[in-house]
PDB file of all heavy atoms in Angstrom:
ATOM      1  N   MET A 389      43.815  31.458 -78.080  1.00 89.00           N
ATOM      2  CA  MET A 389      43.037  31.991 -79.181  1.00 89.00           C
ATOM      3  C   MET A 389      41.586  31.790 -78.891  1.00 89.00           C
ATOM      4  O   MET A 389      40.717  32.770 -79.196  1.00 89.00           O
ATOM      5  CB  MET A 389      43.349  31.258 -80.533  1.00 89.00           C
ATOM      6  CG  MET A 389      44.482  31.827 -81.311  1.00 89.00           C
ATOM      7  SD  MET A 389      44.086  33.477 -82.005  1.00 89.00           S
ATOM      8  CE  MET A 389      42.784  32.964 -83.154  1.00 89.00           C
ATOM      9  N   ALA A 390      41.184  30.718 -78.331  1.00 89.00           N
ATOM     10  CA  ALA A 390      39.800  30.561 -77.985  1.00 89.00           C
ATOM     11  C   ALA A 390      39.327  31.537 -76.891  1.00 89.00           C
ATOM     12  O   ALA A 390      38.204  31.952 -76.854  1.00 89.00           O
ATOM     13  CB  ALA A 390      39.530  29.089 -77.479  1.00 89.00           C
ATOM     14  N   PHE A 391      40.275  31.815 -76.024  1.00 89.00           N
ATOM     15  CA  PHE A 391      39.911  32.829 -74.918  1.00 89.00           C
ATOM     16  C   PHE A 391      39.797  34.197 -75.511  1.00 89.00           C
ATOM     17  O   PHE A 391      38.859  34.907 -75.199  1.00 89.00           O
ATOM     18  CB  PHE A 391      41.064  32.834 -73.854  1.00 89.00           C
ATOM     19  CG  PHE A 391      40.919  33.912 -72.949  1.00 89.00           C
ATOM     20  CD1 PHE A 391      39.957  33.854 -71.827  1.00 89.00           C
ATOM     21  CD2 PHE A 391      41.719  35.053 -72.977  1.00 89.00           C
ATOM     22  CE1 PHE A 391      39.889  34.961 -70.922  1.00 89.00           C
ATOM     23  CE2 PHE A 391      41.570  36.162 -72.068  1.00 89.00           C
ATOM     24  CZ  PHE A 391      40.592  36.075 -71.106  1.00 89.00           C
ATOM     25  N   LEU A 392      40.679  34.531 -76.468  1.00 90.00           N
ATOM     26  CA  LEU A 392      40.612  35.870 -77.139  1.00 90.00           C
ATOM     27  C   LEU A 392      39.400  36.008 -77.927  1.00 90.00           C
ATOM     28  O   LEU A 392      38.811  37.128 -77.969  1.00 90.00           O
ATOM     29  CB  LEU A 392      41.810  36.118 -77.953  1.00 90.00           C
ATOM     30  CG  LEU A 392      43.152  36.223 -77.320  1.00 90.00           C
ATOM     31  CD1 LEU A 392      44.279  36.312 -78.339  1.00 90.00           C
ATOM     32  CD2 LEU A 392      43.257  37.422 -76.346  1.00 90.00           C
ATOM     33  N   GLU A 393      38.856  34.996 -78.456  1.00 90.00           N
ATOM     34  CA  GLU A 393      37.696  35.126 -79.473  1.00 90.00           C
ATOM     35  C   GLU A 393      36.365  34.784 -78.716  1.00 90.00           C
ATOM     36  O   GLU A 393      35.433  34.785 -79.358  1.00 90.00           O
ATOM     37  CB  GLU A 393      37.847  34.105 -80.646  1.00 90.00           C
ATOM     38  CG  GLU A 393      38.967  34.487 -81.514  1.00 90.00           C
ATOM     39  CD  GLU A 393      39.223  33.552 -82.692  1.00 90.00           C
ATOM     40  OE1 GLU A 393      38.633  32.357 -82.567  1.00 90.00           O
ATOM     41  OE2 GLU A 393      39.987  33.845 -83.583  1.00 90.00           O
ATOM     42  N   ARG A 394      36.398  34.526 -77.432  1.00 89.00           N
ATOM     43  CA  ARG A 394      35.262  34.140 -76.673  1.00 89.00           C
ATOM     44  C   ARG A 394      34.170  35.228 -76.686  1.00 89.00           C
ATOM     45  O   ARG A 394      34.423  36.421 -76.447  1.00 89.00           O
ATOM     46  CB  ARG A 394      35.686  33.945 -75.145  1.00 89.00           C
ATOM     47  CG  ARG A 394      34.473  33.418 -74.312  1.00 89.00           C
ATOM     48  CD  ARG A 394      34.906  33.089 -72.922  1.00 89.00           C
ATOM     49  NE  ARG A 394      35.405  34.278 -72.328  1.00 89.00           N
ATOM     50  CZ  ARG A 394      35.997  34.379 -71.069  1.00 89.00           C
ATOM     51  NH1 ARG A 394      36.255  33.300 -70.414  1.00 89.00           N
ATOM     52  NH2 ARG A 394      36.371  35.535 -70.566  1.00 89.00           N
ATOM     53  N   GLY A 395      33.017  34.908 -77.007  1.00 90.00           N
ATOM     54  CA  GLY A 395      31.876  35.829 -77.055  1.00 90.00           C
ATOM     55  C   GLY A 395      31.643  36.502 -78.426  1.00 90.00           C
ATOM     56  O   GLY A 395      30.676  37.085 -78.705  1.00 90.00           O
ATOM     57  N   LEU A 396      32.722  36.482 -79.272  1.00 94.00           N
ATOM     58  CA  LEU A 396      32.565  37.197 -80.558  1.00 94.00           C
ATOM     59  C   LEU A 396      31.494  36.471 -81.449  1.00 94.00           C
ATOM     60  O   LEU A 396      31.002  37.122 -82.361  1.00 94.00           O
ATOM     61  CB  LEU A 396      33.964  37.179 -81.279  1.00 94.00           C
ATOM     62  CG  LEU A 396      35.024  38.110 -80.607  1.00 94.00           C
ATOM     63  CD1 LEU A 396      36.237  38.135 -81.492  1.00 94.00           C
ATOM     64  CD2 LEU A 396      34.499  39.525 -80.402  1.00 94.00           C
ATOM     65  N   ILE A 397      31.404  35.182 -81.355  1.00 94.00           N
ATOM     66  CA  ILE A 397      30.357  34.514 -82.116  1.00 94.00           C
ATOM     67  C   ILE A 397      28.972  35.014 -81.782  1.00 94.00           C
ATOM     68  O   ILE A 397      28.134  35.195 -82.702  1.00 94.00           O
ATOM     69  CB  ILE A 397      30.448  32.985 -81.951  1.00 94.00           C
ATOM     70  CG1 ILE A 397      29.459  32.138 -82.835  1.00 94.00           C
ATOM     71  CG2 ILE A 397      30.218  32.586 -80.452  1.00 94.00           C
ATOM     72  CD1 ILE A 397      29.820  32.424 -84.317  1.00 94.00           C
ATOM     73  N   TRP A 398      28.779  35.424 -80.578  1.00 95.00           N
ATOM     74  CA  TRP A 398      27.433  35.920 -80.159  1.00 95.00           C
ATOM     75  C   TRP A 398      27.337  37.352 -80.688  1.00 95.00           C
ATOM     76  O   TRP A 398      26.253  37.777 -81.064  1.00 95.00           O
ATOM     77  CB  TRP A 398      27.274  35.925 -78.610  1.00 95.00           C
ATOM     78  CG  TRP A 398      26.973  34.545 -78.171  1.00 95.00           C
ATOM     79  CD1 TRP A 398      27.837  33.669 -77.448  1.00 95.00           C
ATOM     80  CD2 TRP A 398      25.759  33.832 -78.245  1.00 95.00           C
ATOM     81  NE1 TRP A 398      27.250  32.529 -77.129  1.00 95.00           N
ATOM     82  CE2 TRP A 398      25.899  32.498 -77.642  1.00 95.00           C
ATOM     83  CE3 TRP A 398      24.533  34.106 -78.970  1.00 95.00           C
ATOM     84  CZ2 TRP A 398      24.953  31.634 -77.585  1.00 95.00           C
ATOM     85  CZ3 TRP A 398      23.476  33.188 -78.839  1.00 95.00           C
ATOM     86  CH2 TRP A 398      23.766  31.992 -78.223  1.00 95.00           C
ATOM     87  N   LEU A 399      28.444  38.045 -80.674  1.00 95.00           N
ATOM     88  CA  LEU A 399      28.393  39.448 -81.169  1.00 95.00           C
ATOM     89  C   LEU A 399      28.107  39.423 -82.644  1.00 95.00           C
ATOM     90  O   LEU A 399      27.306  40.246 -83.206  1.00 95.00           O
ATOM     91  CB  LEU A 399      29.777  40.077 -80.828  1.00 95.00           C
ATOM     92  CG  LEU A 399      29.824  41.610 -81.192  1.00 95.00           C
ATOM     93  CD1 LEU A 399      28.857  42.418 -80.280  1.00 95.00           C
ATOM     94  CD2 LEU A 399      31.169  42.128 -80.900  1.00 95.00           C
ATOM     95  N   SER A 400      28.711  38.543 -83.391  1.00 95.00           N
ATOM     96  CA  SER A 400      28.384  38.372 -84.794  1.00 95.00           C
ATOM     97  C   SER A 400      27.012  37.954 -85.111  1.00 95.00           C
ATOM     98  O   SER A 400      26.355  38.412 -86.112  1.00 95.00           O
ATOM     99  CB  SER A 400      29.283  37.284 -85.430  1.00 95.00           C
ATOM    100  OG  SER A 400      29.053  36.983 -86.790  1.00 95.00           O
ATOM    101  N   THR A 401      26.440  37.103 -84.175  1.00 95.00           N
ATOM    102  CA  THR A 401      25.026  36.748 -84.342  1.00 95.00           C
ATOM    103  C   THR A 401      24.075  37.922 -84.148  1.00 95.00           C
ATOM    104  O   THR A 401      23.045  38.003 -84.883  1.00 95.00           O
ATOM    105  CB  THR A 401      24.679  35.573 -83.260  1.00 95.00           C
ATOM    106  OG1 THR A 401      25.557  34.478 -83.432  1.00 95.00           O
ATOM    107  CG2 THR A 401      23.254  35.090 -83.397  1.00 95.00           C
ATOM    108  N   PHE A 402      24.345  38.676 -83.116  1.00 96.00           N
ATOM    109  CA  PHE A 402      23.541  39.936 -82.964  1.00 96.00           C
ATOM    110  C   PHE A 402      23.627  40.833 -84.103  1.00 96.00           C
ATOM    111  O   PHE A 402      22.563  41.384 -84.484  1.00 96.00           O
ATOM    112  CB  PHE A 402      23.890  40.599 -81.626  1.00 96.00           C
ATOM    113  CG  PHE A 402      23.586  39.897 -80.437  1.00 96.00           C
ATOM    114  CD1 PHE A 402      24.521  40.065 -79.355  1.00 96.00           C
ATOM    115  CD2 PHE A 402      22.542  39.027 -80.260  1.00 96.00           C
ATOM    116  CE1 PHE A 402      24.199  39.316 -78.085  1.00 96.00           C
ATOM    117  CE2 PHE A 402      22.269  38.255 -79.134  1.00 96.00           C
ATOM    118  CZ  PHE A 402      23.109  38.478 -78.130  1.00 96.00           C
ATOM    119  N   ILE A 403      24.805  40.973 -84.688  1.00 96.00           N
ATOM    120  CA  ILE A 403      24.881  41.757 -85.923  1.00 96.00           C
ATOM    121  C   ILE A 403      24.126  41.201 -87.058  1.00 96.00           C
ATOM    122  O   ILE A 403      23.453  42.134 -87.832  1.00 96.00           O
ATOM    123  CB  ILE A 403      26.404  41.905 -86.267  1.00 96.00           C
ATOM    124  CG1 ILE A 403      27.223  42.633 -85.179  1.00 96.00           C
ATOM    125  CG2 ILE A 403      26.563  42.498 -87.691  1.00 96.00           C
ATOM    126  CD1 ILE A 403      28.749  42.470 -85.411  1.00 96.00           C
ATOM    127  N   THR A 404      23.978  40.014 -87.227  1.00 95.00           N
ATOM    128  CA  THR A 404      23.258  39.407 -88.271  1.00 95.00           C
ATOM    129  C   THR A 404      21.754  39.482 -88.062  1.00 95.00           C
ATOM    130  O   THR A 404      20.924  39.772 -88.892  1.00 95.00           O
ATOM    131  CB  THR A 404      23.663  37.952 -88.445  1.00 95.00           C
ATOM    132  OG1 THR A 404      25.039  37.895 -88.754  1.00 95.00           O
ATOM    133  CG2 THR A 404      22.923  37.278 -89.677  1.00 95.00           C
ATOM    134  N   ILE A 405      21.348  39.197 -86.758  1.00 95.00           N
ATOM    135  CA  ILE A 405      19.940  39.098 -86.425  1.00 95.00           C
ATOM    136  C   ILE A 405      19.226  40.471 -86.424  1.00 95.00           C
ATOM    137  O   ILE A 405      18.043  40.569 -86.861  1.00 95.00           O
ATOM    138  CB  ILE A 405      19.785  38.333 -85.132  1.00 95.00           C
ATOM    139  CG1 ILE A 405      20.094  36.900 -85.259  1.00 95.00           C
ATOM    140  CG2 ILE A 405      18.315  38.470 -84.606  1.00 95.00           C
ATOM    141  CD1 ILE A 405      20.042  36.074 -83.968  1.00 95.00           C
ATOM    142  N   ALA A 406      19.940  41.518 -85.921  1.00 94.00           N
ATOM    143  CA  ALA A 406      19.266  42.825 -85.635  1.00 94.00           C
ATOM    144  C   ALA A 406      18.597  43.321 -86.925  1.00 94.00           C
ATOM    145  O   ALA A 406      17.359  43.715 -86.914  1.00 94.00           O
ATOM    146  CB  ALA A 406      20.287  43.747 -85.121  1.00 94.00           C
ATOM    147  N   PRO A 407      19.338  43.481 -88.038  1.00 94.00           N
ATOM    148  CA  PRO A 407      18.725  43.975 -89.184  1.00 94.00           C
ATOM    149  C   PRO A 407      17.600  43.093 -89.791  1.00 94.00           C
ATOM    150  O   PRO A 407      16.622  43.456 -90.351  1.00 94.00           O
ATOM    151  CB  PRO A 407      19.889  44.109 -90.256  1.00 94.00           C
ATOM    152  CG  PRO A 407      20.888  43.217 -89.777  1.00 94.00           C
ATOM    153  CD  PRO A 407      20.780  43.224 -88.355  1.00 94.00           C
TER     154      PRO A 407
END
Side-chain angles (χ1 to χ4, degrees):
M389 272 293 295
F391 172 76
L392 292 174
E393 294 178 347
R394 186 179 62 185
L396 291 185
I397 184 64
W398 285 107
L399 190 60
S400 177
T401 301
F402 292 146
I403 292 170
T404 303
I405 290 177

